[in-house]
Amino acid sequence: MYCNLLQCSHFSNTSVIAVSGNEVVGFISAYLIPERANTLFVWQVAVGSQARGQGLATRMLQHILARPYCHDICYLETTITESNKASWALFNGLSSKLNTELHSSVMFDRIEHLDDAHDTEMLVSIGPFNATKEINHENI
Ligand SMILES: CC(C)(COP(=O)(O)OP(=O)(O)OC[C@H]1O[C@@H](n2cnc3c(N)ncnc32)[C@H](O)[C@@H]1OP(=O)(O)O)[C@@H](O)C(=O)NCCC(=O)NCCS
């Protein structure tokens, strides 16, 4: 809860929540990488099971990138475990929509960094892109 409160206060410019009726159906937390203000790091993406497969995660990412605060962002990074098919599809799809390239490499290795307690997190890097040019505001 403390972490969530920091995300929605200090990081609200780069985070988003989606509500349907009274229910939270989607959430993204992200931040500008310290010392690299042109790069958005997407920390968490979650869409409720009832709202998946309808483009919500894509629209939340586009919503953040289309904000005036994010005008200078031309790279996006995140980490994904190799088995998370939905996340790979989400970020590959976003890369195509931004008309740019996606590269991946190991960021946190299961044995070396994560004490064999969590799958290896692959660093995914998307860019360069011009969100102002590539995002159709009518779709978000
Ligand atoms: C990953 C997640 C956020 C995707 O949310 P979503 O709103 O369903 O995603 P979208 O509808 O925007 O889909 C984006 C793309 O991924 C594809 N996709 C979505 N779910 C998929 C799945 N399970 N398998 C394969 N492709 C999938 C969509 O077809 C779409 O492709 P397109 O851009 O080519 O049309 C959602 O599945 C989720 O919350 N998963 C659990 C939490 C999680 O793993 N978060 C990421 C790690 S922190």
Side-chain angles (χ1 to χ4, degrees):
M1 182 65 81
Y2 184 80
C3 174
N4 290 147
L5 289 169
L6 287 176
Q7 287 167 331
C8 67
S9 51
H10 292 168
F11 300 102
S12 59
N13 282 323
T14 48
S15 299
V16 66
I17 203 160
V19 175
S20 175
N22 292 324
E23 199 180 356
V24 172
V25 291
F27 171 67
I28 293 179
S29 59
Y31 56 83
L32 302 185
I33 294 183
E35 315 300 335
R36 278 197 281 146
N38 68 351
T39 305
L40 182 76
F41 186 84
V42 178
W43 182 357
Q44 298 160 306
V45 186
V47 169
S49 51
Q50 78 283 23
R52 288 181 192 166
Q54 300 169 39
L56 180 56
T58 302
R59 281 187 293 135
M60 290 195 293
L61 288 167
Q62 292 173 324
H63 190 278
I64 292 171
L65 290 172
R67 294 174 183 171
Y69 181 84
C70 296
H71 182 263
D72 294 335
I73 291 173
C74 48
Y75 291 92
L76 181 150
E77 293 182 3
T78 193
T79 70
I80 310 178
T81 56
E82 270 174 326
S83 62
N84 194 335
K85 289 192 170 48
S87 278
W88 285 102
L90 169 62
F91 287 99
N92 273 310
L94 182 74
S95 173
S96 301
K97 289 175 184 75
L98 291 170
N99 202 19
T100 190
E101 295 177 2
L102 179 152
H103 297 282
S104 64
S105 57
V106 172
M107 184 163 183
F108 299 124
D109 178 73
R110 180 181 183 106
I111 305 297
E112 191 177 347
H113 304 111
L114 299 169
D115 201 21
D116 204 13
H118 184 88
D119 286 344
T120 294
E121 289 280 352
M122 301 297 293
L123 173 65
V124 170
S125 184
I126 295 174
F129 54 78
N130 179 338
T132 309
K133 183 172 156 224
E134 306 297 346
I135 293 175
N136 181 348
H137 289 234
E138 286 172 15
N139 293 340
I140 55 175

